[in-house]
């Protein structure tokens, strides 16, 4: 039971779709909640969020502003800051914020998501999330029927086949000495996907979108989109003080936080939601996971409080 008036029931680190959905669920359950968020959403470069029912195409920051306003309506507090460190304090956790403030919470939901480490391609960062992309569900419709280049990676064949559903002008670019496995090459040939052995070392374009690929041999080629696979890294730095270490994802795409189906990690009191524990989840899936984790954590708190109340009743204390 929360016996300290200055302690939050739950601190949520990360104010994206998962964190806000968890905050709303817990706020509606009359929990005392704080969301800690530095205001730098991963999908900020994108023009809109897609496959989010009733909100398709909504700019990412606008979607978050709507979610934040809803959560605030249920009494959720916000700190516009970066969480820099976390320590167990005997009754939960103390979270240190950039700027010097410290907050106490009985439980934590880590919803920081993942960050993207891009391939070493000159000029790429300026177009990431626009027409330099990785997900056909997030951005595929916007490049339908266009000239789509796929950057070589262990996931290139899979990505090429996915984007072939959207355009019949898909080309995989590999280094000159790279040989695609025969079975994989057969799949590409069967779908009419070309393979060109020229190494992409850079891109160039206008103020908003890339227009050309630049090759190691000095040549250039016009393109409407570049598909690539970044490496994902779970945002766990603020939880190092409680012993949280990100694990390598089974797919090889990067790191994530291991949690059970309810979102509970191996560290007592620490839960994870959204892309933090599922790097492949789209925005709507991350939001759904935040709702689920928020509900499961509320059930966990109810069980703890009920056990404490039963113990007090047996000791002769009046019922809460």
């Amino acid at each position: 039971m929360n016996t300290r008036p200055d302690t939050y029931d739950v601190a949520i680190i990360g104010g994206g779709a998962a964190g806000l959905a968890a905050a709303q669920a817990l706020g509606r359950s009359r929990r005392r909640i704080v969301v800690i968020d530095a205001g730098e959403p991963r999908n900020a470069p994108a023009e809109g969020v897609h496959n989010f029912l009733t909100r398709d195409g909504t700019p990412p920051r606008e979607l978050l502003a709507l979610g934040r306003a809803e959560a605030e309506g249920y009494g959720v507090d916000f700190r516009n800051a970066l969480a820099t460190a976390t320590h167990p304090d005997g009754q939960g956790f103390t979270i240190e914020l950039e700027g010097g403030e410290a907050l106490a919470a009985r439980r934590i939901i880590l919803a920081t998501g993942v960050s993207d480490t891009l391939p070493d391609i000159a000029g790429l960062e300026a177009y990431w999330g626009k027409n330099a992309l990785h997900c056909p569900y997030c951005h595929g419709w916007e490049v339908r029927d266009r000239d789509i280049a796929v950057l070589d990676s262990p996931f290139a064949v899979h990505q090429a086949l996915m984007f072939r559903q959207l355009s019949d002008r898909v080309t995989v670019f590999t280094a000159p000495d790279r040989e695609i496995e025969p079975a994989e090459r057969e799949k590409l040939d069967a779908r009419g996907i070309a393979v060109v052995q020229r190494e992409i070392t850079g891109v160039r374009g206008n103020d908003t979108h890339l227009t050309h690929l630049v090759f190691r041999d000095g040549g250039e080629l016009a393109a409407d989109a570049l598909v690539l696979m970044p490496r994902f890294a779970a945002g766990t730095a603020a939880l190092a003080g409680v012993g949280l270490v990100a694990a390598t994802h089974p797919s090889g795409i990067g790191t994530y936080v291991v949690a059970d189906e309810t979102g509970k990690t191996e560290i007592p009191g620490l839960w994870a939601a959204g892309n933090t524990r599922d790097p492949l989840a789209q925005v709507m899936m991350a939001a759904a996971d935040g709702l689920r984790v928020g509900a499961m954590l509320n059930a966990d708190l109810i069980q703890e409080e009920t056990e404490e109340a039963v113990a007090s009743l047996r000791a002769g204390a009046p019922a809460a």
Side-chain angles (χ1 to χ4, degrees):
M1 188 174 298
N2 190 352
T3 58
R4 297 184 295 173
D6 61 340
T7 299
Y8 287 97
D9 289 317
V10 184
I12 300 171
I13 303 177
L20 291 175
Q24 186 179 72
L26 288 161
R28 284 175 55 84
S29 295
R30 308 191 75 174
R31 293 294 180 184
R32 188 164 183 243
I33 306 301
V34 62
V35 176
I36 303 163
D37 185 71
E40 298 177 358
R42 174 193 178 202
N43 61 354
E47 295 175 353
V49 172
H50 295 290
N51 285 314
F52 199 117
L53 193 63
T54 77
R55 297 295 182 186
D56 190 69
T58 303
R61 290 187 184 277
E62 181 180 330
L63 184 69
L64 297 183
L66 291 167
R68 179 166 175 159
E70 289 181 355
E72 287 177 328
Y74 296 109
V76 174
D77 290 339
F78 284 83
R79 294 292 190 277
N80 301 319
L82 181 69
T84 57
T86 306
H87 309 283
D89 65 7
Q91 298 185 57
F93 303 94
T94 297
I95 304 126
E96 298 176 11
L97 308 186
E98 191 174 50
E101 185 180 9
L103 303 174
R106 300 165 64 195
R107 302 283 195 277
I108 290 176
I109 295 176
L110 183 64
T112 49
V114 296
S115 59
D116 301 308
T117 300
L118 303 179
D120 187 17
I121 302 293
L124 181 62
E125 188 172 355
Y127 306 111
W128 178 237
K130 300 178 175 65
N131 64 335
L133 43 94
H134 77 285
C135 174
Y137 300 104
C138 302
H139 308 285
W141 174 263
E142 285 65 41
V143 297
R144 66 195 185 280
D145 299 324
R146 311 297 292 275
D147 288 313
I148 301 173
V150 180
L151 182 68
D152 191 22
S153 79
F155 305 93
V157 172
H158 171 73
Q159 289 180 303
L161 293 171
M162 296 290 282
F163 277 88
R164 177 60 180 82
Q165 179 65 26
L166 299 155
S167 175
D168 59 5
R169 293 146 58 187
V170 178
T171 303
V172 177
F173 289 87
T174 73
D177 59 352
R178 160 90 151 98
E179 290 294 335
I180 296 175
E181 292 291 331
E184 297 294 277
R185 182 61 185 262
E186 185 177 41
K187 295 175 185 177
L188 298 177
D189 291 343
R191 295 306 308 272
I193 298 170
V195 177
V196 175
Q197 291 183 298
R198 295 182 78 185
E199 185 177 358
I200 300 171
T201 57
V203 296
R204 67 175 182 85
N206 54 37
D207 290 342
T208 59
H209 292 79
L210 71 85
T211 59
H212 288 78
L213 311 175
V214 180
F215 299 100
R216 185 171 295 282
D217 60 22
E220 294 189 1
L221 183 69
D224 297 313
L226 175 62
V227 175
L228 55 101
M229 179 56 75
R231 182 167 177 80
F232 304 140
T236 59
L239 277 299
V242 299
L244 181 66
V245 177
T248 299
H249 195 271
S251 69
I253 59 174
T255 61
Y256 76 123
V257 172
V258 178
D260 69 13
E261 63 180 8
T262 71
K264 187 182 296 185
T265 74
E266 64 181 5
I267 297 172
L270 176 61
W271 302 58
N275 286 137
T276 304
R277 72 186 191 114
D278 182 2
L280 297 176
Q282 295 175 62
V283 178
M284 192 170 195
M285 296 161 66
D289 191 55
L291 168 59
R292 175 180 175 79
V293 171
M296 294 297 100
L297 196 159
N298 185 53
D300 181 69
L301 288 170
I302 289 171
Q303 179 177 339
E304 177 184 280
E305 291 161 353
T306 301
E307 290 173 354
E308 291 175 352
V310 168
S312 294
L313 183 65
R314 289 173 178 173

